[in-house]
């Protein structure tokens, strides 16, 4: 995951926004049958893979390093070899090098990088359809597979509601806490799908400049989250009425960049 983060400057910022949104709507607590943080991270990575802003994970791991090349990192005999510190360090070094090469090739393509607000809207938009289908029992045999970076057919040992596949062990579902065919956990999955689709509509309005930005900010991440992470919520007077440009999105982007910069400075001092 560290190598992926170095491959895309957008991953950390987008994931941070997704987590703030999920926490604001009580969707980031596996003990309450919602997403754990790993699921949200995998969903963010998979979305960026679809935009070709991140590589498929298998592109970072040479088959020659694996005892069973047809298996994933934590499957079969592959899992045993990482108990050897030398083997593990070799894997980490190769993955870091391949991620750096991929990032260099991506930069050479000179493709425009979407704004963070557009990425957040796209994240909600991409996941709204599959989540709604899975709630209705459709296409559950089609998994979001980070290892291959694509939608891939597959089955789980249990009929989980959300078909999010663990990239390192194909039979594991990180979103298993949300429920299965035999236990829908009080309709949590339906609520999650609704929040994705409604948040997609809110972001579309914000990006179009036709919404009240303070209202949109509070709806997306909640006032308590804004205060907790140190974001200054714009005064109501500045955000009352439609505006031509999306002040909220610019505000989210600038505050996220500031916080990421502060984190890097702290890491460098350490």
């Amino acid at each position: 995951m560290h190598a992926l983060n170095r491959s895309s400057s957008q991953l950390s910022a987008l994931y941070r926004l997704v987590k703030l949104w999920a926490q604001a709507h009580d969707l980031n607590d596996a003990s309450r049958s919602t997403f754990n943080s790993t699921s949200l991270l995998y969903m963010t990575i998979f979305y960026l893979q679809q935009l070709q802003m991140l590589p498929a994970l298998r592109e970072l791991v040479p088959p020659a390093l694996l005892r069973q090349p047809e298996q994933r990192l934590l499957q079969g005999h592959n899992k045993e070899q990482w108990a050897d510190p030398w083997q593990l360090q070799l894997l980490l070094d190769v993955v870091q090098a391949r991620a750096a090469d991929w990032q260099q090739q991506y930069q050479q393509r000179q493709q425009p990088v979407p704004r963070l607000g557009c990425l957040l809207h796209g994240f909600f938009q991409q996941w709204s359809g599959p989540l709604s289908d899975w709630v209705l029992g459709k296409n559950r045999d089609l998994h979001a597979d980070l290892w291959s970076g694509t939608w891939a057919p597959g089955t789980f040992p249990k009929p989980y509601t959300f078909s999010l596949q663990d990239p390192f062990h194909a039979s594991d579902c990180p979103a298993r806490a949300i429920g299965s065919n035999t236990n829908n956990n009080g309709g949590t999955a339906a609520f999650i799908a609704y929040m994705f689709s409604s948040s997609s509509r809110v972001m579309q309005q914000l990006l179009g400049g036709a919404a009240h930005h303070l209202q949109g900010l509070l709806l997306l991440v909640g006032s308590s989250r804004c205060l907790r992470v140190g974001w200054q919520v714009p005064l109501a007077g500045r955000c009352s009425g439609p505006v031509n440009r999306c002040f909220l999105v610019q505000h989210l982007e600038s505050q996220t960049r500031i916080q990421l910069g502060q984190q890097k400075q702290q890491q460098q001092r350490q």
Side-chain angles (χ1 to χ4, degrees), residues 216-250:
L217 175 61
L218 298 180
L219 177 62
L220 285 173
V221 299
S223 58
S224 61
R225 267 45 179 208
C226 296
L227 297 175
R228 184 178 303 175
V229 299
W231 285 357
Q232 297 298 319
V233 180
L235 295 176
R238 293 180 60 185
C239 299
S240 57
V243 295
N244 294 326
R245 299 188 63 187
C246 186
F247 175 79
L248 168 61
V249 173
Q250 294 177 340

Side-chain angles (χ1 to χ4, degrees), residues 74-93:
L74 300 180
Q75 288 185 274
H77 295 297
N78 291 338
K79 183 178 180 180
E80 302 169 0
Q81 72 184 94
W82 312 128
D84 182 343
W86 185 86
Q87 289 275 352
L88 180 59
Q89 187 58 52
L90 176 62
L91 172 66
L92 295 176
D93 291 343

Side-chain angles (χ1 to χ4, degrees), residues 9 12-13 16 253-269:
S9 60
S12 180
R16 184 178 181 84
E253 291 177 349
S254 63
Q255 293 295 328
T256 301
R257 284 196 297 268
I258 290 172
Q259 293 195 18
L260 291 176
Q262 292 173 345
Q263 290 177 359
K264 289 182 180 179
Q265 291 177 359
Q266 292 176 356
Q267 292 174 356
Q268 292 173 353
R269 286 196 291 266

Side-chain angles (χ1 to χ4, degrees), residues 180-191:
S180 62
N181 285 352
T182 57
N183 180 14
N184 67 4
N185 291 324
T188 303
F191 175 69

